């Protein structure tokens, strides 16, 4: 029967009844959504195409529990030779993953699903590489070496069983018992444990804080891409704009600025501090680019290949955001940049 004869979503019991002895839990984990259900349209496409089945097999090898983390995605891209410095770098892969994860139905989940990988990420990679999606799928379906590599790595990283680990600890404890019985060593060891635990707690708190901040910023970028952005000339004095235009064309002779060049300008101008960090600069550029490229934006003509901005958008959107982070006026920020760069 075709997809129209099936319900839109299938649960595990329904799939078991359909597949019988051929049911594979690994494939179910890869295909299920956040609610534990599988889209029948995706299932039928896989059933009809051997290429789609091999692509699912590749995904399942890297993601046996279903969800794909950013590290696994980068590893898959590297093993399947999708990465290169020109068309699709590691940085491009990281940004693409975070963008798709932030646009998912439940952005609080730390992984992406097979559906997101297959129908959002793969077409995006194909577009960046100038390939047809079908050709990229065919390439991925023939990556047997990558599957062998990831299974080999998983076997190599298997941890010892709890009882084996406990035995090893007891043996080491017995050999060092005479030293550890000394009062001074006991005190030092206790302090070391407290210090170690404190460091771990601090690191975990910092990671959690950064993760929450990253999720919040991705949501803000997503919101910016949907906002209505009319053409509004950035309010700066005539002298400031002349200075700013000269600086822009000095660093961007082609009239287009990238995130990397934006960070170079701020670094050369000694603008980075606690209020404005390189991490903040990346966010500012991504947000202003999203604002300019949005469907409801009047600056869409100012975005070049979804990577760079022209002078107009950079002046009206990016510099305005940077000034807000520095908590200064646009004129003051321009004068600071001009003064520090001219002194170099």
């Amino acid at each position: 029967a075709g997809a129209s004869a099936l319900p839109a979503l299938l649960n595990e019991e329904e799939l078991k009844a359909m597949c019988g002895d051929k049911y594979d839990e690994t494939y179910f984990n890869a295909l299920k959504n956040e609610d534990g259900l599988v889209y029948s349209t995706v299932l039928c496409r896989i059933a009809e195409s051997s290429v789609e089945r091999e692509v699912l097999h590749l995904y399942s090898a890297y993601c046996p529990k279903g969800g794909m983390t950013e590290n696994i995605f980068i590893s898959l891209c590297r093993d399947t030779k999708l990465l290169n410095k020109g068309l699709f770098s590691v940085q491009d892969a990281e940004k693409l993953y975070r963008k798709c994860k932030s646009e998912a139905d439940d952005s609080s989940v730390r992984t992406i699903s097979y559906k997101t990988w297959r129908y959002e990420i793969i077409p995006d990679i194909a577009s960046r590489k100038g390939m047809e999606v079908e050709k990229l799928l065919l390439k991925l379906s023939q990556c047997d070496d990558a599957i062998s590599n990831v299974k080999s790595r998983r076997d190599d990283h298997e941890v010892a069983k709890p009882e084996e680990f406990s035995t090893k600890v007891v043996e080491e404890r017995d050999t060092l018992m005479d030293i550890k019985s000394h009062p001074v060593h006991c005190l030092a060891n206790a302090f070391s444990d407290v210090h170690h635990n404190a460091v771990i707690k601090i690191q975990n708190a910092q990671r959690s804080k950064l993760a929450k901040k990253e999720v919040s910023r991705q949501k803000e970028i997503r919101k910016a891409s949907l906002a209505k952005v009319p053409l509004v000339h950035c309010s700066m004095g005539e002298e400031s704009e002349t200075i700013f235009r000269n600086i822009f064309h000095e660093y961007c002779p082609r009239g287009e600025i990238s995130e990397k060049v934006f960070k170079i300008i701020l670094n050369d101008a000694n603008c980075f501090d606690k209020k404005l960090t390189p991490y903040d600069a990346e966010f500012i550029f991504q947000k202003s680019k999203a604002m300019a490229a949005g469907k409801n934006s009047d600056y869409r003509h100012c975005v070049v290949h979804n990577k760079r901005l022209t002078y107009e958008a950079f002046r009206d959107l990016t510099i305005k955001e940077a000034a807000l982070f520095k908590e200064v006026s646009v004129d003051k920020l321009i004068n600071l940049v001009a003064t520090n760069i001219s002194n170099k």
Side-chain angles (χ1 to χ4, degrees):
S4 59
L6 295 171
L9 293 165
L10 300 167
N11 60 32
E12 186 173 14
E13 294 304 319
E14 289 169 332
L15 278 176
K16 285 181 178 179
M18 289 172 56
C19 301
D21 296 338
K22 294 184 178 180
Y23 173 77
D24 191 319
E25 186 178 2
T26 304
Y27 289 165
F28 173 76
N29 288 336
L31 293 172
K32 69 182 180 181
N33 62 13
E34 293 81 4
D35 299 321
L37 301 173
V38 175
Y39 292 92
S40 59
T41 52
V42 176
L43 191 66
C44 288
R45 180 171 289 188
I46 291 169
E48 293 167 0
S49 169
S50 60
V51 172
E52 293 281 359
R53 287 196 294 275
E54 291 300 325
V55 171
L56 172 61
H57 182 53
L58 173 67
Y59 180 93
S60 302
Y62 280 81
C63 313
K65 295 183 179 180
M68 176 181 278
T69 64
E70 183 176 327
N71 286 342
I72 290 175
F73 172 61
I74 300 299
S75 179
L76 187 151
C77 290
R78 185 176 289 111
D79 291 348
T80 53
K81 295 180 172 56
L82 292 179
L83 298 176
N84 57 57
K85 293 183 179 179
L87 299 175
F88 189 57
S89 64
V90 173
Q91 291 74 19
D92 293 330
E94 291 172 348
K95 290 176 182 177
L96 175 59
Y97 178 92
R98 292 168 190 172
K99 172 178 170 288
C100 290
K101 187 165 76 69
S102 69
E103 294 175 355
D105 295 335
D106 186 359
S107 57
S108 62
V109 178
R110 298 181 65 182
T111 59
I112 61 171
S113 65
Y114 172 81
K115 187 182 178 191
T116 300
W117 180 72
R118 166 61 184 84
Y119 295 103
E120 294 183 32
I121 287 184
I122 288 180
D124 194 297
I125 295 175
S127 175
R128 290 167 186 259
K129 288 181 165 289
M131 300 172 63
E132 295 179 0
V133 176
E134 289 73 16
K135 288 186 178 180
L136 180 55
L137 288 172
L138 181 61
K139 176 181 177 179
L140 292 173
S141 71
Q142 299 169 345
C143 293
D144 295 337
D145 290 343
I147 294 175
S148 300
N149 289 340
V150 73
K151 288 183 177 178
S152 176
R153 287 200 299 269
R154 193 177 295 127
D155 292 339
D156 292 342
H157 285 80
E158 284 186 352
V159 296
K161 294 180 180 179
E163 57 269 21
E164 295 174 354
F165 182 73
S166 300
T167 303
K168 185 177 179 181
V169 171
V170 170
E171 291 173 354
E172 291 180 355
R173 182 200 62 192
D174 292 341
T175 58
L176 298 174
M177 187 59 71
D178 292 339
I179 299 174
K180 288 188 175 182
S181 61
H182 194 282
V184 174
H185 182 86
C186 290
L187 181 61
N189 193 46
F191 175 78
S192 177
D193 288 343
V194 171
H195 180 263
H196 177 69
N197 291 336
V199 169
I200 290 176
K201 286 182 179 180
I202 292 171
Q203 289 177 340
N204 289 340
Q206 289 174 338
R207 290 192 189 100
S208 177
K209 185 178 179 181
L210 285 173
K212 289 178 180 177
K213 189 174 184 179
E214 179 65 20
V215 169
S216 175
R217 288 191 164 183
Q218 290 299 327
K219 287 181 178 178
E220 193 171 339
I221 290 172
R222 171 67 175 165
K223 187 177 179 180
S225 69
L226 301 174
K228 183 173 179 59
V229 186
L231 282 169
V232 179
H233 192 287
C234 182
S235 58
M236 66 171 75
E238 185 177 343
E239 183 180 352
S240 294
E241 177 154 9
T242 302
I243 295 170
F244 180 62
R245 183 182 284 107
N246 291 337
I247 293 172
F248 179 87
H249 287 294
E250 180 183 343
Y251 281 85
C252 313
R254 295 175 59 186
E256 303 163 0
I257 187 166
S258 65
E259 179 185 301
K260 182 179 179 180
V261 175
F262 174 50
K263 289 167 67 177
I264 290 173
I265 292 175
L266 293 179
N267 184 62
D268 289 351
N270 297 324
C271 286
F272 288 136
D273 54 22
K274 290 182 178 180
K275 292 181 181 178
L276 178 63
T277 66
Y279 175 65
D280 294 329
E282 292 175 6
F283 166 69
I284 289 168
F285 193 87
Q286 291 299 322
K287 181 182 177 182
S288 58
K289 188 175 68 174
M291 291 172 66
K295 293 181 179 179
N296 301 318
S297 173
D298 293 337
Y299 287 91
R300 295 182 70 183
H301 63 284
C302 298
V303 183
V304 183
H305 300 309
N306 200 33
K307 291 183 178 180
R308 300 182 293 278
L309 296 176
T310 63
Y311 171 76
E312 187 178 8
F314 183 65
R315 176 197 63 198
D316 296 346
L317 303 176
T318 311
I319 289 301
K320 184 178 178 182
E321 286 289 325
L324 290 174
F325 269 77
K326 289 288 287 183
E327 298 178 1
V328 297
S329 66
V330 174
D331 280 330
K332 190 168 182 179
L333 178 60
I334 296 301
N335 289 330
L336 174 66
V337 171
T339 302
N340 290 340
I341 288 180
S342 62
N343 290 335
K344 286 204 168 186

